[in-house]
Amino acid sequence: NWGTVLATLTGHTDSVTSSAFSPDGAVLVSGSFDNTLKVWDATNWGTVLAELTGHTATVYTSAFSPDGAVLVSGSFDNTLKVW
């Protein structure tokens, strides 16, 4: 049922620009205009596993490697960061 909100995750201090699930669905990452990524536990909604900092401008994209072991983020600071 796509009409039901399962969770509302809060914690970014500015607009969220991207989100992606890990291949196994256990982790969700979100990027934001606040220049950070948040790594969420997708089995326990609302639990932040990590806050990744280092970009100096908006994070506009993020993706997991096929095995879920590596995360990449792209930012308006003209960098990609591999986590």
Side-chain angles (χ1 to χ4, degrees), residues 32-45:
S32 171
F33 271 103
D34 66 10
N35 306 347
T36 69
L37 295 111
K38 290 199 183 296
V39 182
W40 306 86
D41 181 346
T43 62
N44 183 17
W45 296 116

Side-chain angles (χ1 to χ4, degrees), residues 4-31:
T4 303
V5 175
L6 300 177
T8 300
L9 306 180
T10 60
H12 283 291
T13 59
D14 209 333
S15 299
V16 174
T17 55
S18 67
S19 59
F21 277 100
S22 62
D24 65 2
V27 176
L28 173 69
V29 65
S30 57

Side-chain angles (χ1 to χ4, degrees), residues 15-20 29-33 35-38 52 55 57-64 71-77 79-83:
S15 299
V16 174
T17 55
S18 67
S19 59
V29 65
S30 57
S32 171
F33 271 103
N35 306 347
T36 69
L37 295 111
K38 290 199 183 296
L52 306 179
H55 284 293
T58 300
V59 176
Y60 66 88
T61 190
S62 55
F64 284 94
L71 174 67
V72 64
S73 58
S75 169
F76 284 115
D77 65 10
T79 67
L80 291 170
K81 295 202 182 293
V82 182
W83 310 87

